[in-house]
Amino acid sequence: MSEQVFIFDTTMRDGEQSPGASMTLEEKLDLAKLLEDMRVDIIEAGFPIASQGDFEAVNAISKIIKESTICGLSRAGQKDIERCAEAVKPAARSRIHTFISTSPLHMKYKLQMEPEKVLEKIHDSVTLARNLVAEVEWSAEDATRTERDFLRRAVEIAIKAGATTINIPDTVGYSFPEEYGAIFKDLIENVPGADKVIFSAHCHNDLGLAVANSLSAVLNGARQIECAINGLGERAGNAALEEIVMALRVRRNALPYETKIETTRLTTASKMVSRITGFPVQYNKAIVGKNAFAHESGIHQDGMLKNAETYEIMNPETVGQGATNLVMGKHSGRHAFKDKLSALGYELADNAFLDAFQRFKDLADRKKFVYDDDIVALVDDAAAYIADTVKVKRLRVVAGTDGPQTAELDLEINGENKWTTQRGNGPVDAVFNAIRALIPHDAVLELYQVHAVTEGTDAQAEVSVRLSDGEYVTSARASDADTLVASAKAYVGALNRLIAKKERHSGGQKAAG
C-alpha cells in the first residue's frame, strides 16, 4: 500500500539562515504562493520572535495561503511560543514548531541546563503551544548525538503534552543512513503513543548524506520530511526538496510512498530561489541543474537517440526542465551530429557530412560549447566547398584623445593580399570601415558585443558580431587578448559566413574579390 509522505518546506526559515540568503517580504510572499501551487504540505515561513520582519512575513503569509499549513519556529520559552502563535493566527491551517536541545554537548554548553530541567521544559513548552494551536511540532535539537534512553523519555513527554509531530533532526549532519533510520525504528517501536503522531526527518548535509538519511528515515517509519529548495540552508544546507520528491517518485519499487507535490514546478521554484538569494545552482545539481538532462558523450547521445531510457531515469518535462539537451562538444559522435543537422534543417551527402563533421570536431577541441550558429557556419562552409574567403593578416590601430582614430588593415581575399588605412569615429569604427573599404558590401551591423573571457587586465576579449543584408543573417565570435583584433576577426568571420550563404544559393560563384 502506498502511504503519503508530507513535505515540510523550510526554505524561508532554515534556508534563509544561509549567510547572504535573506529574503524580502515581497519575495517571501511570491515564494509562498509558488510553494502552495506546488502543493507543499507545510510551509515553515520563519522564526517570528527573531525580528519584526520575520514576524510580519509569517503573519502576511498566514493571511494569503489557504491550502498549505503555515508553520512558525519557536524556542521553548513562553514569549517565543506566544509570539509564534500570534504570527500564525490568521492561517487557515497553523502550526507551532518548538524545539530544545537534547544532546549532552548542547545541554551542558549551550543550554547550561540539567537533563531533568530540559525534560520539564519540553512538557511546559509543548503544553503551552498545544493550548494555542491545534498542531504542535516538537524537535529534539541535535537528536542524532543524544543518548537513546534520554531521547525516548523526551519524545514520550512531548507526545503526552500534546505534540502532533515529532521531529528528529540531524542538526549537524553527523549521522549516516543506517544509523539514522535505526533511531526512528527504535522510537516508533518503544515510545508509548508513538503510533498517534507523525515522525519527521530534518537532515543537514554536512557529510553530503541529507537526502539519503531522510529516505532512510521514511523507510523506518517517518512520514514527514523537512527540506528546502536547492538544498538551501546554513553551513552545507538541508536535504534538497526536489531530490527527495523525485527519489520517492522514480523509485516507487523500493520506496512505496507518495507526495502531493506538483513536480513540473520544481525547476521554476529552483530558479526563483536562486534569483531571490543570489545563490547559483551548480550545473550538475540533481533534478534542477542545467546539465541534469544534458548529454555530450557520443556513446550516451547515441543511446539517447535510440531510446531515452538508456541514460535518463526520468523525463525532464516531469520536473519542468523542458526537453533533453544533447550538448554538442568534443565527445559528441556522428549520430548526434547528424541528428543536430537534421534539427537545423540540413541533409548532407556523405562527403559533405564527413567534411562538416571533421570541422566540428576541430572546433570542439578549441572551445567548450559548440552552438547552433557554429554548426550552421560549418555546414555552410562544407556545402559550398570553401575555406574562409577572407582572412585577417595584420591590423594596426592608432587611438587616443588626440585622434584621428585610424586602422591600417591587411586582408587576404580569395588568396590575394589587400590593405587599406581608414579613419573612424573611434578605433572599432575605423577597423570596420577598413573592412568595408576592402570588401564593399551592404550588410548592416546588427550586433556588436564585447565581454571578458576571464578576469584581470590581461583577460582575453570575446567579441560577437551579427550582420544582416536583408536576406541573410550571420553571426560570429572571436577571442583575442587585443579587443580590436578580436573585433576584426569576428566581423570578418560573420562576413565569411554571409559570403558562404550567398555562394551556396547562387551556384558557387565567388561573392568577394
Side-chain angles (χ1 to χ4, degrees):
M1 292 264 320
S2 176
E3 295 185 61
Q4 182 180 348
V5 171
F6 296 95
I7 297 300
F8 178 113
D9 179 86
T10 187
T11 306
M12 286 185 281
R13 199 278 299 170
D14 201 332
E16 197 190 25
Q17 291 177 200
S18 300
S22 294
M23 308 176 193
T24 66
L25 174 60
E26 291 73 20
E27 290 167 341
K28 284 190 173 184
L29 290 171
D30 288 342
L31 180 56
K33 292 174 186 175
L34 178 55
L35 293 174
E36 184 177 41
D37 288 344
M38 288 171 58
R39 303 181 71 191
V40 165
D41 299 290
I42 304 99
I43 300 172
E44 190 168 46
F47 194 172
I49 206 166
S51 69
Q52 181 61 25
D54 242 32
F55 174 88
E56 291 174 356
V58 176
N59 192 248
I61 291 169
S62 297
K63 292 175 181 176
I64 66 167
I65 300 301
K66 305 303 179 187
E67 298 299 324
S68 303
T69 296
I70 304 303
C71 178
L73 185 69
S74 165
R75 291 169 298 190
Q78 179 178 344
K79 290 183 178 179
D80 277 51
I81 294 169
E82 289 176 345
R83 186 68 165 162
C84 189
E86 185 182 355
V88 301
K89 187 176 181 180
R93 297 176 177 84
S94 60
R95 176 183 296 188
I96 291 176
H97 179 190
T98 184
F99 69 96
I100 194 168
S101 297
T102 54
S103 70
L105 185 68
H106 276 223
M107 288 191 292
K108 180 177 180 180
Y109 292 104
K110 177 185 172 182
L111 299 180
Q112 297 181 340
M113 293 172 62
E114 294 298 321
E116 291 303 319
K117 187 64 176 177
V118 170
L119 295 176
E120 182 182 328
K121 198 74 170 175
I122 294 169
H123 173 271
D124 293 346
S125 59
V126 174
T127 299
L128 174 59
R130 190 67 175 83
N131 287 330
L132 296 172
V133 294
E135 291 186 26
V136 175
E137 177 170 336
W138 176 77
S139 286
E141 187 178 11
D142 205 21
T144 54
R145 294 191 295 178
T146 297
E147 294 169 338
R148 194 66 62 85
D149 287 342
F150 186 76
L151 185 59
R152 291 192 201 102
R153 291 179 64 195
V155 170
E156 182 179 357
I157 288 171
I159 293 173
K160 287 181 177 178
T164 53
T165 300
I166 299 295
N167 184 36
I168 307 299
D170 186 19
T171 305
V172 293
Y174 175 75
S175 197
F176 59 90
E178 182 178 340
E179 176 185 66
Y180 191 60
I183 295 173
F184 283 84
K185 188 174 189 296
D186 174 55
L187 294 173
I188 291 170
E189 290 180 352
N190 296 304
V191 174
D195 59 328
K196 302 296 193 296
V197 298
I198 291 174
F199 277 82
S200 178
H202 180 121
C203 296
H204 280 264
N205 206 39
D206 298 71
L207 293 175
L209 296 171
V211 170
N213 284 341
S214 299
L215 296 175
S216 178
V218 170
L219 286 170
N220 285 278
R223 290 297 176 266
Q224 175 179 289
I225 298 179
E226 306 189 4
C227 43
I229 302 294
N230 295 339
L232 194 67
E234 54 190 335
R235 301 188 317 280
N238 290 282
L241 181 150
E242 59 278 1
E243 295 176 25
I244 294 288
V245 168
M246 292 310 297
L248 289 171
R249 175 166 175 161
V250 172
R251 293 305 311 273
R252 289 289 295 277
N253 58 324
L255 296 159
Y257 313 102
E258 61 184 15
T259 73
K260 297 192 303 181
I261 299 298
E262 177 51 63
T263 62
T264 58
R265 308 301 302 278
L266 291 174
T267 299
T268 299
S270 171
K271 290 179 178 178
M272 175 183 282
V273 170
S274 178
R275 173 180 56 78
I276 289 172
T277 61
F279 285 25
V281 177
Q282 66 192 65
Y283 280 13
N284 62 333
K285 168 76 173 64
I287 314 300
V288 294
K290 182 178 180 179
N291 289 348
F293 297 92
H295 307 265
E296 184 180 338
S297 164
I299 296 172
H300 287 210
Q301 290 179 343
D302 184 66
M304 285 293 298
L305 291 168
K306 292 172 179 175
N307 186 325
E309 291 183 3
T310 54
Y311 288 102
E312 283 186 354
I313 60 172
M314 66 193 95
N315 294 325
E317 293 86 356
T318 63
V319 299
Q321 275 270 42
T324 294
N325 180 20
L326 298 185
V327 179
M328 304 308 295
K330 65 180 181 180
H331 301 295
S332 299
R334 287 182 174 82
H335 191 183
F337 186 65
K338 180 167 284 189
D339 185 74
K340 173 62 75 173
L341 291 181
S342 179
L344 293 172
Y346 290 97
E347 296 293 336
L348 300 183
D350 290 346
N351 288 340
F353 170 77
L354 291 174
D355 182 53
F357 181 69
Q358 186 57 54
R359 289 171 179 265
F360 159 72
K361 296 292 276 189
D362 291 343
L363 180 62
D365 279 333
R366 300 196 303 270
K367 60 185 300 187
K368 288 183 178 181
F369 302 108
V370 179
Y371 299 93
D372 287 359
D373 277 353
D374 297 319
I375 293 174
V376 168
L378 292 172
V379 174
D380 284 340
D381 284 351
Y385 300 99
I386 63 165
D388 286 344
T389 300
V390 184
K391 297 178 181 178
V392 176
K393 304 298 290 184
R394 187 181 71 89
L395 175 65
R396 179 175 180 272
V397 178
V398 177
T401 57
D402 293 338
Q405 287 78 38
T406 61
E408 185 178 310
L409 177 67
D410 287 21
L411 295 180
E412 181 184 302
I413 305 173
N414 294 329
E416 180 183 353
N417 288 328
K418 294 186 178 182
W419 70 273
T420 187
T421 299
Q422 297 291 324
R423 295 181 176 181
N425 184 22
V428 175
D429 189 48
V431 171
F432 290 174
N433 285 342
I435 296 171
R436 283 190 286 268
L438 291 174
I439 312 173
H441 58 274
D442 298 325
V444 176
L445 180 66
E446 288 192 339
L447 172 72
Y448 173 73
Q449 202 168 60
V450 182
H451 79 270
V453 176
T454 56
E455 297 179 353
T457 56
D458 61 347
Q460 280 204 105
E462 183 179 74
V463 176
S464 299
V465 166
R466 183 167 66 231
L467 298 177
S468 171
D469 69 351
E471 185 177 6
Y472 303 110
V473 177
T474 58
S475 61
R477 284 179 297 275
S479 298
D480 198 276
D482 188 315
T483 304
L484 297 174
V485 173
S487 299
K489 289 180 176 179
Y491 192 106
V492 167
L495 197 57
N496 273 315
R497 295 176 183 187
L498 191 63
I499 292 167
K501 284 193 173 184
K502 285 180 174 293
E503 288 185 14
R504 181 184 175 195
H505 292 93
S506 63
Q509 308 233 337
K510 292 289 182 184

